[in-house]
Amino acid sequence: MKSIKRSAGIAAALISVLGATVIAAPAASATPTGCGELDNGQLCITGGKVGVNGTFTWTVGYSRSKSGQITVTLGDQRKNSKITALPLYYGSAKTNKTANYASLSKKHSINAGDCIRGVMEYKGTTYVTKWRCP
């Protein structure tokens, strides 16, 4: 009888430890790397290779959650241990009527130690994504 109680006690302790581990585990982010959640949509930067010297094509896209066409200015910004560069704007784009999405691409170089993030300007306000760093 003692061994059954002891086994049950060990099992209960194991279950409580495992349960606490699951509860304490951080939740996975719903926002993909290189994206930023905005009040009315999501801004992302994709492409390129972070942590590698070279010239790559970067795409900045804005997916609007509200209906209605708007014009946004899209680009990127780089930083490293010495500087945070001014934004490099690719140009202006109008959101698509059906998908509420606008994107622009530009090919430019990046240094191995640089971080990069997407930038959008709309009605005098600048919005940014999370930094992508090596």
Side-chain angles (χ1 to χ4, degrees):
M1 190 68 156
K2 280 186 178 180
S3 67
I4 293 173
K5 284 184 179 180
R6 194 165 129 183
S7 295
I10 292 171
L14 243 157
I15 290 170
S16 66
V17 168
L18 290 173
T21 304
V22 171
I23 293 168
S29 174
T31 306
T33 302
C35 293
E37 292 295 329
L38 309 179
D39 289 342
N40 295 320
Q42 189 176 67
L43 178 65
C44 295
I45 184 166
T46 57
K49 291 185 181 177
V50 179
V52 178
N53 280 333
T55 301
F56 305 102
T57 299
W58 301 93
T59 300
V60 178
Y62 172 57
S63 179
R64 190 166 192 245
S65 56
K66 287 186 171 182
S67 61
Q69 216 172 12
I70 63 169
T71 300
V72 295
T73 302
L74 300 170
D76 68 47
Q77 184 178 22
R78 292 178 298 133
K79 77 170 182 172
N80 58 38
S81 61
K82 296 177 186 168
I83 59 125
T84 298
L86 293 173
L88 169 65
Y89 287 106
Y90 305 172
S92 294
K94 197 177 271 194
T95 55
N96 177 306
K97 285 182 182 179
T98 55
N100 292 326
Y101 183 77
S103 71
L104 289 172
S105 297
K106 185 166 184 81
K107 189 173 188 175
H108 65 83
S109 62
I110 189 169
N111 297 322
D114 289 355
C115 297
I116 192 165
R117 69 179 175 185
V119 178
M120 178 180 83
E121 194 173 288
Y122 177 66
K123 289 189 174 181
T125 302
T126 302
Y127 303 89
V128 296
T129 67
K130 295 177 181 178
W131 287 107
R132 287 181 59 190
C133 295

